[in-house]
Amino acid sequence: MILRSLVASTALLIASGAVAQTATHAGAHNPAIKTNDAAHVAAPAKGANSFSESQARGRLTKAGYRNVSRLTKDENGVWRGMAVRAGKKVHVGLDYKGDVTAR
C-alpha cells in the first residue's frame, strides 16, 4: 500500500512539473525583458524617468516620429512634447519604461 501511494505521488509531481513548464501566457507583457524598441501603449506609466532629453528625443525618433519639439518632463516623470508622424502633428509622451504614447 505504501509503495502504491509513493508511485502515485511521484507520478503526480512529474505531471504537474511538466504542465508548469509548458504553460504560456499569450500577449503577456514582461517588463523584466529589456529591449531597445519603443512600444506604443495607451497610457504612460508613472515613475522616475532616467532618460535625458536627448535620449527621449532619440527614442521618439526611432519610434517613427519626426520634428520632435517642446520636450519637457511632467510631474509624473513622463517626457511630453510635440512631433509629426504620417504628416500629422501629435502630442507624444515617453515614460520611464521607454514606452511611447501619442494623441
Side-chain angles (χ1 to χ4, degrees):
M1 183 69 175
I2 295 175
L3 182 59
R4 215 180 274 177
S5 295
L6 184 60
V7 170
S9 297
T10 303
L12 183 60
L13 285 173
I14 291 171
S16 66
V19 170
Q21 290 177 2
T22 59
T24 60
H25 301 285
H29 176 69
N30 185 351
I33 298 175
K34 179 175 172 48
T35 68
N36 288 328
D37 297 331
H40 285 79
V41 296
K46 297 176 184 179
N49 195 321
S50 63
F51 290 114
S52 68
E53 182 179 350
S54 64
Q55 289 171 324
R57 188 178 308 280
R59 280 282 189 143
L60 292 165
T61 300
K62 188 175 181 180
Y65 296 93
R66 302 290 174 248
N67 301 329
V68 178
S69 62
R70 298 190 329 209
L71 274 181
T72 57
K73 197 184 303 184
D74 71 10
E75 66 278 358
N76 294 320
V78 177
W79 282 102
R80 300 207 182 261
M82 298 295 296
V84 175
R85 184 166 185 176
K88 295 181 181 178
K89 202 168 198 177
V90 293
H91 293 270
V92 292
L94 180 79
D95 66 16
Y96 76 95
K97 295 178 183 181
D99 294 335
V100 175
T101 56
R103 51 180 172 93

